[in-house]
Amino acid sequence: MDFKEITKSGFLEVSAIHKLYYEVCGNPNGETILFLHGGPGAGFADRDKRFFNFEKQQVVFYDQRGASRSLPFGSIVENTTQHLVEDINKLLDFLNLDKVTMFGGSWGTALALIYAIQFPDKVKELLLRGVYIVDKESTEHFLEGGVAKEFPEVWKRFSQNVPKESNSSIIDYYLDKMQNGNTEEKKHFAYEWAFYEISIFKKGITSEEVDLILNQFPYESLSIMETHYLSKGCFIKDNYILDNLHVIDAIPMKIVHGKDDTICPVSVAIELKSRLKNCELYVVEGGHSDSEPEIETKLIELINKMY
């Protein structure tokens, strides 16, 4: 059998509104890993499969509610963090999986941690990249000019889409335009939001590279979902993850974090490490992207060592 082939795929109905697109790849007798994509709303891509050894591992990929190929595309109706947590249980039950390792990047790390806090018995191990814990420090850094020193032109472009006379915050203005604007405005603000994020997620990236990346995936779901979630504090209580770390202290955790991560400051990863007994932290050269050479290499190394 060629374990690189998709062994199972399709749509799982998780509510009267939402259907999740999923793929299962690899050895059905191997250790199972659940891949949690970022965003919210980014979806998974074939290139995410490069991290895994499908001869030894079975990996479940899926697009979260409203993301990428899941239906309806870009829908924020009945779309909160708790819905996403419940969807994981529905997916695991559907696939007859009792316990999995969770591999998440960026927003995927927050979802993995929240799920593990609520269902620790279902999580064997956590592998996190570019960790985000829905903390005010990281969110304000991303939305209120914390990146301006390193990326002044990118921040200027992003922030100046909001008129000076507007009383709305940047995120509220973008969200309103993506929800209620005309067709041209919806497209423009979705593109500008995604352009901003991709422009700062990797060291030395050019605007041409950003345009190329944005042409390769349905960024509209990323943009609408991120503004929807971040404007509501990701629908969880302040410090929810930090206040509940004791629940997951026994779960082995490995974190890979770029030391120059502009989207999720490395200080958050360091704090997690300091609070958990069973946590290994690897701070490497790079920013936020999993395609940064040292981040990519370390992730592949850790996955191979795990299984």
Side-chain angles (χ1 to χ4, degrees), residues 39 105-110 129-135 137-139 141-142 147 197 200-201 256-270 286-289:
S106 195
W107 160 251
T109 69
R129 186 271 310 163
V131 71
Y132 174 55
I133 57 170
V134 197
D135 57 303
E137 176 191 358
S138 299
T139 305
H141 181 80
F142 181 63
V147 307
E197 176 162 350
I200 63 175
F201 90 141
V256 178
H257 208 107
K259 72 180 186 67
D260 296 315
D261 192 327
T262 308
I263 295 177
C264 296
V266 70
S267 57
V268 175
I270 293 170
H288 189 66
S289 171

Side-chain angles (χ1 to χ4, degrees), residues 187-214:
K187 184 176 181 180
H188 171 75
F189 280 89
Y191 187 86
E192 287 299 307
W193 181 277
F195 187 94
Y196 168 63
E197 176 162 350
I198 302 302
S199 294
I200 63 175
F201 90 141
K202 184 178 180 181
K203 294 178 68 176
I205 195 168
T206 66
S207 58
E208 289 77 19
E209 288 178 285
V210 176
D211 286 326
L212 182 63
I213 291 170
L214 293 181

Side-chain angles (χ1 to χ4, degrees), residues 82-212:
Q82 195 57 40
H83 285 115
L84 301 191
V85 167
E86 292 165 3
D87 286 349
I88 292 174
N89 276 337
K90 291 174 183 176
L91 182 60
L92 296 183
D93 289 345
F94 173 71
L95 296 172
N96 295 312
L97 298 171
D98 296 323
K99 196 166 188 174
V100 295
T101 290
M102 293 191 153
F103 175 25
S106 195
W107 160 251
T109 69
L111 184 55
L113 288 164
I114 293 165
Y115 181 85
I117 287 167
Q118 294 189 22
F119 299 97
D121 293 341
K122 294 189 176 186
V123 180
K124 182 175 183 179
E125 194 162 351
L126 290 163
L127 177 56
L128 310 178
R129 186 271 310 163
V131 71
Y132 174 55
I133 57 170
V134 197
D135 57 303
K136 288 184 178 180
E137 176 191 358
S138 299
T139 305
E140 289 176 359
H141 181 80
F142 181 63
L143 291 174
E144 298 182 13
V147 307
K149 184 177 180 180
E150 292 180 77
F151 300 94
E153 293 305 314
V154 174
W155 174 254
K156 182 178 179 182
R157 172 172 171 166
F158 177 65
S159 60
Q160 286 189 349
N161 278 303
V162 181
K164 291 182 179 179
E165 61 271 17
S166 172
N167 292 322
S168 298
S169 65
I170 290 176
I171 191 170
D172 288 341
Y173 192 86
Y174 271 76
L175 181 58
D176 178 63
K177 290 297 182 182
M178 281 186 258
Q179 285 185 293
N180 306 312
N182 58 39
T183 302
E184 186 177 329
E185 287 174 327
K186 288 179 179 178
K187 184 176 181 180
H188 171 75
F189 280 89
Y191 187 86
E192 287 299 307
W193 181 277
F195 187 94
Y196 168 63
E197 176 162 350
I198 302 302
S199 294
I200 63 175
F201 90 141
K202 184 178 180 181
K203 294 178 68 176
I205 195 168
T206 66
S207 58
E208 289 77 19
E209 288 178 285
V210 176
D211 286 326
L212 182 63

Side-chain angles (χ1 to χ4, degrees), residues 10-24:
F11 289 88
L12 174 63
E13 186 172 321
V14 291
S15 76
I17 296 173
H18 291 278
K19 295 179 180 179
L20 307 184
Y21 177 73
Y22 70 91
E23 292 179 5
V24 183

